[in-house]
């Protein structure tokens, strides 16, 4: 008989909690049970605390199969599980760990039959979901040019499902640009849900929604899972939505050993459906909750934490705490007043060059901002200086689809024989794809001027496509009558107002952010029309080259894109929105654009979101380990006066150093 030897798991090794954890962390890890709310400040060792808590439960006899660990990314779950395995010697078989949707999928694979699905249902990926939504919309036989794309429909439907906000309220608020199609969109959603059920499909949102439906409608299942899991641990609880909080309450209601970990001061994702009330109201839902605070910060110097503490104390809705530093004292944060956006970019780039010259790796430096459009000028300046960078908040500014769309119009105005730009524009029109765009191009390029042949090209199109094409030609004729060569900003504004804005909102779920990008592009282009382009490239400006403003703009942008493709530094400076930067950290952090109406944003102020904006500022500041530099400008590139952000003016003057800029030659 053949024998196969299987290596046994090593015995559990005693964990030295006294050595490995600070006093605050030990209190959490060694607490016997019951409802627990852990307010984990930035850089306070939250992940360490959670993993040691799981290890402690296993060490004291809790079967891993009776533990559920909920996280917001599968990567976070894997990291925690690996750490726990290291602490316990691998004794984790059966532990349920992962995202809410991952856990929902496991449950549904066992019980979907109770909801009328087969257990072998298919999960739609984002692309398939968008396609099915577009198919559902197409069944209504609406005018194609007014129909929102699948990505927009998916974002709307997902937000409705994760917040439970009625469609009527959404159409009158967040999605007001779709109000005229509200009835048709709701009908399309109904068709979509019917199709999914018939085809045995679930989308990403269903993994949570259908799981909740299962537990609500079947008491025996609810009791089974609530009995099975003795301990429930939830990471980043401040980011949960109303459905995720309900799931936690359902699974934890029998044993009530529910430990939620998070930081209300870092709740910054309400636009995704995150609900601050979940963490603030946890002690009310669980009156016997024990509240713990992790306030020992291992990331930042004391001076940075002092500024962050003094900022967030202005918020009324919070669990108050004071972060305390472990690191030794260092340099006070700097507040820098700049004349305009161009001076701001030159200052930041100069400071970065100085840091790089002193041996600071580019990857240890970050430039953070409130909105992606604020990165345009800094990207251009870094490219000019040969400073390598990585954009974490999206594509590089001029590589984004909507920017390239607008530049295609400008290139056609400048060079009517630009085939690639013509095809890009044509394919934005309803009913025109690659084949039809090629036919139109071949027809108009044979004429003396492609512009003169557009009306005759109408005969190449069917009735559906010709309507949108006729409107496009009309708008283009209006644009050609303008002084676009000397007013590129006016040309962009015209393009935006005559068709492209509608295209933007029907195509992209983040249309508002993209609209802000285009407004920034208009402000940038306006410098060329008003003869101020020398502030962008002073050396060339002194040459007084005989270009029209449109030619100069397109030439500069083309050169910037080409020169930026091969950065000199192997490891680039990080450019990121603060939303994207949460959970990350760098030695040196710049926060730019700290002006009223920009950060905090005008929209947030009008919608009562000031406290979330301040939390966003707090998150940005606490990304810095050794140096924090806060920048604001006095003017909008010379056109309007700007005020410094209240997040600066409300700070005590002794928590920062005000810096004056001096130029040496």
């Amino acid at each position: 008989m053949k024998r196969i030897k299987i290596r046994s798991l090593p015995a559990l090794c005693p964990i030295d909690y006294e050595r490995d954890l600070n006093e605050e962390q030990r209190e959490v890890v060694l607490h016997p049970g019951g409802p627990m709310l852990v307010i984990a400040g930035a850089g306070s060792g939250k992940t360490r605390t959670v993993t040691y808590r799981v290890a402690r439960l296993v060490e004291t006899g809790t079967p891993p199969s009776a533990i559920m660990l909920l996280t917001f990314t599968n990567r976070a779950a894997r990291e925690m599980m690996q750490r726990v395995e290291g602490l316990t010697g691998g004794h984790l078989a059966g532990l349920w760990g992962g995202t809410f949707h991952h856990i929902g999928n496991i449950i549904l694979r066992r019980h979907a039959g109770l909801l009328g699905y087969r257990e072998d249902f298919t999960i739609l990926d984002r692309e398939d979901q968008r396609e099915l939504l577009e198919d559902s919309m197409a069944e209504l036989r609406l005018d194609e040019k007014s129909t929102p794309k699948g990505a927009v429909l998916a974002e709307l439907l997902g937000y409705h499902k994760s917040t439970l906000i009625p469609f009527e309220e959404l159409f009158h608020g967040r999605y007001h640009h779709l109000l005229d199609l509200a009835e048709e969109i709701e009908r399309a959603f109904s068709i979509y849900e019917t199709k999914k059920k018939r085809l045995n499909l679930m989308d990403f949102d269903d993994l949570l929604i259908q799981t909740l439906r299962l537990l609500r409608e079947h008491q025996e299942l609810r009791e089974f899972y609530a009995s099975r899991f003795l301990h429930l641990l939830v990471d980043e609880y401040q980011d949960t939505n109303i459905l995720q909080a309900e799931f936690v309450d359902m699974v934890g209601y029998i044993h009530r050993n529910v430990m939620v970990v998070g930081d209300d001061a870092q709740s910054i994702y309400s636009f995704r459906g995150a609900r601050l009330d979940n963490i603030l109201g946890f002690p009310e839902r669980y009156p016997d909750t024990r509240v713990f605070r992790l306030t020992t910060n291992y990331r930042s110097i004391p001076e940075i934490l002092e500024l962050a503490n003094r900022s967030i104390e202005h918020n009324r809705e919070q669990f108050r705490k004071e972060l305390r530093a472990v690191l030794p004292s260092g340099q006070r944060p700097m507040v820098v007043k700049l004349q305009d956006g161009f001076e701001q970019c030159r200052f930041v780039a100069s400071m970065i060059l100085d840091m790089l010259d002193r041996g600071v790796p580019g990857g240890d430096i970050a430039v953070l901002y409130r909105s992606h459009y604020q990165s345009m000028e800094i990207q251009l300046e870094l490219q000019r200086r040969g400073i390598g960078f990585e954009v974490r908040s999206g594509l590089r500014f001029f590589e984004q689809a909507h920017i390239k769309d607008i530049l295609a119009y400008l290139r056609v105005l400048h060079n009517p024989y630009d085939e690639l730009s013509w095809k890009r524009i044509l394919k934005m029109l309803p009913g025109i794809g690659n084949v039809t765009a090629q036919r139109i191009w071949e027809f108009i390029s044979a004429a003396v001027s492609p512009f003169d042949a557009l009306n005759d090209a109408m005969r190449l199109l069917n009735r559906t496509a010709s309507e949108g094409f006729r409107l496009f030609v009309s708008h283009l004729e209006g644009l050609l009558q303008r002084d676009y060569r000397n007013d590129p900003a006016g040309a962009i504004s015209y393009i935006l107002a005559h068709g492209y804005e509608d295209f933007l909102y029907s195509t992209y779920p983040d249309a508002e952010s993209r609209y802000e990008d285009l407004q920034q592009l208009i402000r940038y282009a306006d410098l060329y029309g008003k003869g101020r382009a020398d502030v962008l490239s002073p050396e060339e400006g002194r040459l007084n080259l005989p270009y029209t403003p449109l030619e100069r703009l397109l030439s500069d942008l083309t050169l910037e894109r080409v020169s930026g493709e091969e950065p000199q530094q192997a490891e680039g400076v990080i450019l990121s929105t603060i939303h994207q930067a949460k959970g990350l950290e760098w030695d040196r952090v710049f926060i730019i654009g700290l002006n009223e109406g920009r950060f905090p944003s005008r929209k947030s102020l009008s919608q009562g979101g000031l406290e979330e904006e301040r939390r966003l500022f707090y998150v940005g500041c606490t990304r810095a380990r050794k140096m924090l530099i806060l920048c604001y400008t006095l003017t909008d590139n010379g056109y309007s006066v700007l005020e410094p952000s209240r997040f600066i003016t409300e700070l005590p003057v002794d928590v920062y150093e005000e810096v004056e800029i001096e130029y040496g030659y």
Side-chain angles (χ1 to χ4, degrees):
M1 177 184 293
K2 185 176 181 180
R3 295 178 179 272
I4 299 176
K5 188 175 182 179
I6 300 177
R7 187 173 60 182
S8 300
L9 285 172
L12 277 169
C13 301
I15 301 170
D16 191 339
Y17 298 102
E18 190 72 28
R19 179 197 64 197
D20 296 348
L21 304 170
N22 65 36
E23 184 178 349
E24 293 173 334
Q25 295 167 338
R26 277 198 307 275
E27 283 190 11
V28 174
V29 170
L30 302 179
H31 190 66
M36 302 168 62
L37 171 59
V38 182
I39 305 299
S44 64
K46 169 178 65 70
T47 301
R48 186 179 191 83
T49 304
V50 174
T51 53
Y52 270 76
R53 173 70 178 174
V54 175
R56 173 66 175 178
L57 293 174
V58 174
E59 182 186 56
T60 54
T62 302
S65 59
I67 301 172
M68 182 184 290
L69 173 61
L70 288 163
T71 61
F72 268 80
T73 65
N74 284 316
R75 179 181 175 184
R78 285 193 298 272
E79 180 186 349
M80 288 189 181
M81 303 270 269
Q82 287 167 1
R83 290 199 194 184
V84 177
E85 285 178 341
L87 291 170
T88 63
H91 295 265
L92 274 187
L95 188 148
W96 283 34
T99 65
F100 285 87
H101 296 87
H102 174 72
I103 298 298
N105 184 42
I106 293 174
I107 294 173
L108 288 169
R109 292 295 176 190
R110 301 179 176 191
H111 312 291
L114 295 173
L115 300 174
Y117 286 86
R118 299 191 307 276
E119 280 76 12
D120 63 348
F121 63 85
T122 299
I123 302 171
L124 289 167
D125 62 24
R126 295 301 189 188
E127 184 177 345
D128 290 338
Q129 182 191 26
R130 291 194 288 267
E131 186 175 335
L132 191 60
L133 281 165
E134 288 180 357
D135 289 346
S136 302
M137 201 77 189
E139 291 193 16
L140 301 179
R141 302 186 182 282
L142 301 174
D143 181 358
E144 186 179 344
K145 68 179 174 56
S146 65
T147 305
K149 295 286 191 274
V152 176
L153 296 171
E155 204 270 348
L156 165 57
L157 183 60
Y159 190 77
H160 161 72
K161 287 181 173 182
S162 65
T163 61
L164 303 183
I165 297 175
F167 281 121
E168 182 179 2
E169 185 176 333
L170 290 177
F171 283 124
H172 281 89
R174 182 183 173 104
Y175 299 94
H176 57 88
H177 52 280
L178 297 175
L179 183 59
D180 291 344
L181 286 170
E183 184 178 336
E184 290 82 358
I185 290 173
E186 288 195 56
R187 284 168 55 201
F189 286 159
S190 179
I191 294 170
Y192 169 74
E193 297 296 340
T194 301
K195 281 177 177 285
K196 281 193 303 175
K197 188 71 174 289
R198 187 178 72 247
L199 298 172
N200 201 39
L201 303 172
M202 289 195 194
D203 61 32
F204 189 67
D205 297 311
D206 289 329
L207 297 179
L208 183 56
I209 289 169
Q210 297 294 352
T211 300
L212 283 174
R213 182 185 157 205
L214 192 68
L215 298 180
R216 289 185 196 124
E217 295 179 1
H218 299 275
Q219 182 180 349
E220 71 285 359
L221 273 183
R222 186 167 67 249
E223 290 178 352
F224 169 77
Y225 284 106
S227 298
R228 170 177 176 163
F229 292 104
L230 299 175
H231 287 271
L232 184 61
L233 300 91
V234 189
D235 189 27
E236 302 286 8
Y237 189 68
Q238 79 281 349
D239 294 335
T240 55
N241 61 35
I242 192 170
L243 302 179
Q244 290 162 333
E246 182 182 354
F247 178 80
V248 170
D249 292 344
M250 278 189 175
V251 177
Y253 86 97
I254 290 180
H255 299 293
R256 303 183 75 257
N257 293 317
V258 178
M259 183 178 106
V260 298
V261 184
D263 185 4
D264 55 290
Q266 297 187 71
S267 178
I268 59 174
Y269 295 119
S270 64
F271 65 95
R272 295 182 188 167
R275 194 165 172 263
L276 179 64
D277 284 349
N278 289 349
I279 190 166
L280 292 181
F282 188 82
E284 295 177 15
R285 297 203 310 283
Y286 295 83
D288 53 337
T289 294
R290 172 78 185 274
V291 179
F292 300 84
R293 286 175 171 81
L294 304 182
T295 60
T296 303
N297 178 282
Y298 294 89
R299 175 187 300 155
S300 306
I301 61 173
E303 290 78 5
I304 291 173
L305 296 185
E306 178 66 10
L307 184 144
N309 286 332
R310 297 291 74 78
S311 174
I312 201 64
E313 69 184 10
H314 288 275
N315 274 12
R316 299 180 62 183
E317 289 189 296
Q318 63 169 306
F319 291 104
R320 296 197 176 274
K321 63 182 180 302
E322 289 270 325
L323 294 181
R324 296 174 289 106
V326 169
L327 296 179
S329 186
Q331 182 179 357
R332 278 194 299 171
M334 290 186 276
V335 171
V336 188
K337 174 175 62 178
L338 291 312
Q339 186 61 37
D340 54 28
F342 302 112
E343 187 177 57
Q344 177 175 251
C345 293
R346 289 196 290 270
F347 164 74
V348 171
S350 295
M351 288 287 290
I352 290 173
L353 278 175
D354 184 58
M355 293 172 185
L356 295 174
D357 287 344
R358 287 186 283 112
V360 177
D364 285 347
I365 305 168
V367 182
L368 306 182
Y369 33 83
R370 170 64 179 82
S371 301
H372 185 55
Y373 77 86
Q374 293 174 299
S375 73
M376 184 191 82
E377 291 164 354
I378 192 67
Q379 288 187 43
L380 291 172
E381 187 65 26
L382 294 180
Q383 287 175 0
R384 285 194 190 97
R385 305 278 191 114
I387 300 172
F389 63 90
E390 176 186 345
V391 183
R392 294 275 180 86
S393 52
L395 294 172
R396 292 190 177 211
F397 193 86
F398 294 104
E399 293 173 357
Q400 298 175 101
H402 54 296
I403 301 296
K404 292 171 77 171
D405 289 345
I406 294 297
L407 293 182
Y409 275 94
L410 298 185
R411 290 193 174 100
V412 161
L413 292 174
H414 172 59
N415 172 18
Y417 297 94
D418 186 331
E419 177 181 353
L420 295 178
S421 294
W422 268 114
K423 288 179 179 177
R424 186 179 188 95
I425 294 168
L426 292 169
K427 285 187 286 187
M428 285 187 260
L429 304 178
I432 296 181
N434 288 324
V435 174
T436 306
Q438 178 65 32
R439 290 171 59 200
I440 294 172
W441 163 248
E442 289 174 355
F443 181 84
I444 65 175
S445 63
V448 175
S449 168
F451 293 131
D452 295 337
L454 285 172
N455 280 309
D456 290 337
M458 202 87 67
R459 64 172 180 262
L460 302 175
L461 305 173
N462 59 34
R463 189 169 64 178
T464 302
S466 62
E467 183 181 344
F469 187 78
R470 186 179 292 109
L471 187 60
F472 159 71
V473 172
S474 173
H475 289 159
L476 190 57
E477 288 172 346
L479 180 57
L480 291 170
Q481 293 170 12
R482 301 174 65 88
D483 186 18
Y484 60 83
R485 291 183 179 85
N486 293 309
D487 184 17
I492 298 171
S493 296
Y494 182 92
I495 295 163
L496 193 57
H498 292 78
Y500 192 78
E501 184 176 351
D502 292 337
F503 174 82
L504 196 69
Y505 277 94
S506 65
T507 303
Y508 301 110
D510 57 345
E512 270 192 36
S513 173
R514 293 175 187 260
Y515 184 82
E516 286 180 339
D517 289 344
L518 294 174
Q519 293 300 316
Q520 181 72 357
L521 181 62
I522 290 170
R523 288 192 289 269
Y524 181 78
D526 197 34
L527 296 172
Y528 289 80
K530 295 188 175 176
R532 297 186 66 240
D534 59 306
V535 303
L536 305 172
S537 45
E539 295 77 13
E540 290 184 20
R542 295 188 190 104
L543 297 177
N544 195 25
L545 297 174
Y547 297 153
T548 67
L550 177 61
E551 288 174 307
R552 177 75 184 281
L553 172 67
L554 289 174
S555 176
D556 282 0
L557 294 184
T558 301
L559 289 172
E560 294 297 348
R561 289 181 64 198
V562 172
S563 66
E565 289 176 359
E566 297 294 337
Q568 291 181 5
Q569 282 74 30
E571 185 180 25
V573 173
I574 304 302
L575 307 185
S576 177
T577 62
I578 298 174
H579 283 107
Q580 291 287 339
K582 184 174 176 289
L584 304 175
E585 57 189 69
W586 297 272
D587 279 354
R588 291 157 174 81
V589 170
F590 297 83
I591 302 181
I592 63 173
L594 279 163
N595 289 94
E596 282 293 293
R598 296 187 173 182
F599 195 1
S601 73
R602 187 169 290 104
K603 180 180 177 182
S604 69
L605 293 175
S606 67
Q607 296 181 354
L610 174 60
E611 293 211 346
E612 180 160 337
E613 290 288 291
R614 190 177 284 110
R615 293 194 294 270
L616 190 62
F617 176 69
Y618 175 85
V619 167
C621 293
T622 54
R623 299 311 93 198
R625 291 189 287 249
K626 299 178 181 177
M627 180 181 288
L628 175 64
I629 303 173
L630 309 175
C631 301
Y632 71 94
T633 63
L634 297 177
T635 70
D636 182 7
N637 292 340
Y639 295 115
S640 58
V641 176
L642 298 176
E643 296 293 329
S645 169
R646 70 188 66 194
F647 301 149
I648 291 176
T649 59
E650 69 191 12
L651 290 170
V653 294
D654 61 346
V655 302
Y656 62 84
E657 180 180 358
E658 198 159 6
V659 177
E660 292 285 340
I661 302 301
E662 293 182 0
Y663 293 97
Y665 297 94

